[in-house]
Amino acid sequence: MFRMNIDTASSIPVYKQAIQAIKVEILAGRLKDGDSLPPIRELAKIIRLHPNTVAKVYAALQDEGFIAGKMGSGHWVTFKKKKLDSLKKALIEDEFRNFIDRVLAVGATKTEIKELMEKHLDGDHHD
Amino acid sequence: MIEVKDLSFKFKKKPVLENINIRFGEGEFILIAGNNGAGKSTFLRCLTGVLSPLSGSVYFKDGLSKRRIGYIPDGLGFFENLTLKTAINFHTRVFRTGGFDDSLLKELDLDPDSKVKTLSVGERTLFLFSLILAQKPRLLLLDEILHAVDAYLRDIFLDRLLDMIAQYNTTVIAVNHTFTEIEKIPERVLVMENGGFIIDEKTDTLREKVKKIELGPDEPVPDDLPVLFKKETPYIREYYVYPFEEKMRTGFDLEFRDLNLADILKSFIGGYYVKKRV
C-alpha cells in the first residue's frame, strides 16, 4: 500500500521526505479518509527508518491535520477536502518551480519559457 | 545516558584513543565511520568494559546495568564448540535474563543441537543477536558486522534490530564501513580519525554541509573553495566541498550537488588519506 520512495542522495531530511510521501499518497487518493496507517514499528521496518523518526513523521502529520492518532488504536487518515486543495496547490507550485529552475539552468530565457509553455499547453494532447 | 570523559587508550605505547569527551543519549542511533586503524573498535571495546582505558572514564547513568549492554564484535569467535542450546543456557545464566525467544532461530531454521562453529558468519551474527535480545538491551554496540552478512540475513537482522529499538528504546552505536542499508536510520554521525572524533553531527546537518561539484577538463578549481577530497581521472573531476554554505551557490558559478551519506563518509575517510600523504 505504501509507495514511499526516499531519496538518500537528497539533502532533504528523510523525515521530511516521508511526510511528503504520505501527503502524496493521500492527495493521489491511494490513502482514503479513515484508512489506517501502519503502526510505527511496522512502518519503521518497511521504509528502514528509526522508529523515533517515524514517530516524528506521524506527529508532524497529526499537527498538520492529515492524520489522527490515539494511544492504543494507532493512526488513521483524516480527509479534509479544503486541506487537500491547498496541499495540491502547494505541490503543483513546488513542481513548477523545480521545472523553471531546470530550464533556466540549461539557459532558457523567460520569453522562451513563456512561448514554449503556450505552445505545449495548446497542444492537442493537453486539455 | 552514557558520558565518556577524557578517555585515552594506548596499545604498545602507541596512542589509539586520545582524550575523548562525548555523550550519548537514550534511544539515539549513532553511526561511527572512519579509516582503518582510526580507533573505532577500541572505542567500542572501552564502552563495553572489555578494555580498560589508560585514563578517563565511561559513566553509565540512570542505573544502566552491564547486563543490559549488548556487544557484537567484529570477529565472532565465541562459544565455538558449544551447541546452540548450551550456549543459550550459558548466556541466559551469565546475564540472568528471562526467557529466550527462539523465533529467530526458527526463522533461520537453525538446529539447537548443532554446534556454533557449524554456522555461517551471518548465522552466527544473528544467533549472537538473538542471545543479546534476551538481555532486553538498553545499549547495543555493533562493530562492523553487516559486511560479512549476506543480503537476505541482513534484511532479517535489520527488521529485528528496528523491532528491538521500538521495544526497548535501545541506544545503538554502530561502527560501519558499509552504509547503504542503514543510512536512513542513524540520526547522528561521528567520524573518527587518529583516535579522536573530527565530526559529530546530526545526519541531516551533515548532509547540508557536504556537497560535490564536477568540473570540466579545463575548468580551474576556485582557490577559496574548501575542498575536503577530490577525485581526478582523465574523465572525472569531482571535488567534495566541506563545509558548504548556501551562499556559495551564488558566490561561485558552480552546481553544488547533494550526496548520500555513504559518499559523504567516503569523502571524509578519503580526506584522511590525502592528509596522510601530504
Side-chain angles (χ1 to χ4, degrees):
Chain A
M1 75 177 253
F2 265 83
R3 307 177 184 203
M4 297 193 49
N5 291 325
I6 290 184
D7 180 4
T8 54
S10 162
S11 69
I12 300 168
V14 286
Y15 82 91
K16 281 194 183 160
Q17 292 189 47
I19 290 170
Q20 190 73 355
I22 293 177
K23 285 183 185 171
V24 169
E25 290 303 284
I26 296 172
L27 195 63
R30 290 189 289 266
L31 277 175
K32 295 182 177 63
D33 190 28
D35 276 358
S36 56
L37 293 161
I40 288 173
R41 60 192 284 176
E42 291 310 316
L43 186 58
K45 286 191 277 185
I46 296 168
I47 55 179
R48 293 265 192 267
L49 289 185
H50 197 287
N52 292 348
T53 311
V54 176
K56 210 158 100 181
V57 169
Y58 279 2
L61 286 166
Q62 214 170 324
D63 282 349
E64 291 185 55
F66 288 99
I67 69 171
K70 217 169 162 184
M71 267 295 234
S73 20
H75 295 87
W76 61 91
V77 177
T78 47
F79 183 97
K80 286 197 189 66
K81 196 172 178 307
K82 218 171 158 187
K83 179 115 217 164
L84 291 187
D85 285 345
S86 66
L87 173 69
K88 191 170 177 177
K89 216 169 147 189
L91 277 178
I92 291 172
E93 246 174 64
D94 263 1
E95 287 297 324
F96 202 73
R97 224 174 298 131
N98 288 341
F99 157 76
I100 299 279
D101 284 348
R102 281 202 305 275
V103 288
L104 285 176
V106 292
T109 64
K110 282 183 186 169
T111 328
E112 279 174 322
I113 295 174
K114 277 182 199 156
E115 277 171 19
L116 281 166
M117 198 82 80
E118 269 168 30
K119 182 180 152 197
H120 284 273
L121 282 177
D122 291 341
D124 54 8
H125 53 288
H126 290 291
D127 51 11
Chain B
M1 180 171 95
I2 306 162
E3 189 171 356
V4 178
K5 272 190 176 166
D6 306 322
L7 179 76
S8 295
F9 187 84
K10 278 184 184 171
F11 181 71
K12 289 181 181 167
K13 289 187 180 167
K14 190 179 164 279
V16 182
L17 299 175
E18 289 194 277
N19 201 30
I20 293 178
N21 287 287
I22 200 161
R23 285 161 187 254
F24 303 110
E26 185 153 13
E28 271 196 299
F29 194 116
I30 300 115
L31 181 71
I32 304 182
N35 58 288
N36 290 332
K40 306 183 297 293
S41 298
T42 308
F43 179 68
L44 284 196
R45 284 191 205 120
C46 285
L47 290 185
T48 62
V50 176
L51 292 178
S52 312
L54 180 75
S55 60
S57 51
V58 178
Y59 294 106
F60 295 110
K61 295 183 175 173
D62 318 317
L64 174 61
S65 149
K66 289 249 154 139
R67 298 200 326 246
R68 306 280 304 268
I69 301 176
Y71 169 48
I72 307 189
D74 184 6
L76 289 167
F78 67 98
F79 301 151
E80 292 277 314
N81 281 307
L82 301 185
T83 63
L84 271 54
K85 206 165 34 184
T86 323
I88 293 164
N89 285 333
F90 179 77
H91 189 90
T92 46
R93 267 213 316 277
V94 169
F95 286 91
R96 285 182 278 154
T97 64
F100 174 81
D101 174 11
D102 65 353
S103 64
L104 187 53
L105 303 197
K106 286 191 175 133
E107 188 174 355
L108 301 176
D109 204 16
L110 298 179
D111 173 9
D113 292 315
S114 60
K115 286 192 172 173
V116 173
K117 65 179 174 192
T118 64
L119 305 183
S120 72
V121 180
E123 286 168 341
R124 274 186 207 210
T125 305
L126 267 83
F127 175 57
L128 180 55
F129 185 57
S130 72
L131 293 176
I132 288 169
L133 285 178
Q135 296 170 231
K136 300 187 170 70
R138 290 183 58 198
L139 172 64
L140 178 65
L141 305 159
L142 303 174
D143 193 354
E144 186 43 56
I145 54 164
L146 286 179
H147 72 293
V149 178
D150 66 48
Y152 174 74
L153 295 178
R154 212 148 46 193
D155 233 32
I156 295 176
F157 173 76
L158 286 175
D159 276 352
R160 297 277 176 160
L161 181 73
L162 290 169
D163 264 341
M164 173 204 74
I165 292 168
Q167 199 170 355
Y168 306 118
N169 196 25
T170 314
T171 304
V172 181
I173 305 178
V175 162
N176 257 65
H177 295 303
T178 38
F179 312 106
T180 33
E181 262 105 347
I182 62 155
E183 79 165 294
K184 288 178 287 177
I185 303 173
E187 290 174 302
R188 182 175 167 196
V189 177
L190 307 179
V191 178
M192 199 167 214
E193 196 177 289
N194 295 325
F197 293 111
I198 56 161
I199 295 289
D200 178 357
E201 295 269 20
K202 294 268 172 215
T203 315
D204 293 337
T205 315
L206 191 62
R207 282 170 181 287
E208 284 168 12
K209 284 191 184 172
V210 189
K211 303 283 165 190
K212 182 175 83 171
I213 55 164
E214 285 165 25
L215 295 179
D218 303 316
E219 277 180 86
V221 191
D223 291 334
D224 39 355
L225 200 65
V227 174
L228 172 68
F229 175 68
K230 59 185 175 185
K231 195 171 172 187
E232 287 170 323
T233 75
Y235 307 101
I236 297 171
R237 287 180 75 213
E238 289 177 351
Y239 299 83
Y240 292 78
V241 178
Y242 171 83
F244 167 79
E245 291 167 59
E246 279 301 321
K247 64 172 193 243
M248 290 178 183
R249 287 194 203 273
T250 44
F252 299 94
D253 189 19
L254 296 165
E255 192 189 345
F256 292 90
R257 295 189 182 191
D258 293 340
L259 292 162
N260 62 31
L261 190 59
D263 282 333
I264 288 173
L265 295 174
K266 196 174 71 187
S267 64
F268 277 107
I269 298 168
Y272 161 78
Y273 287 100
V274 174
K275 276 183 270 175
K276 204 177 138 194
R277 277 197 295 270
V278 172

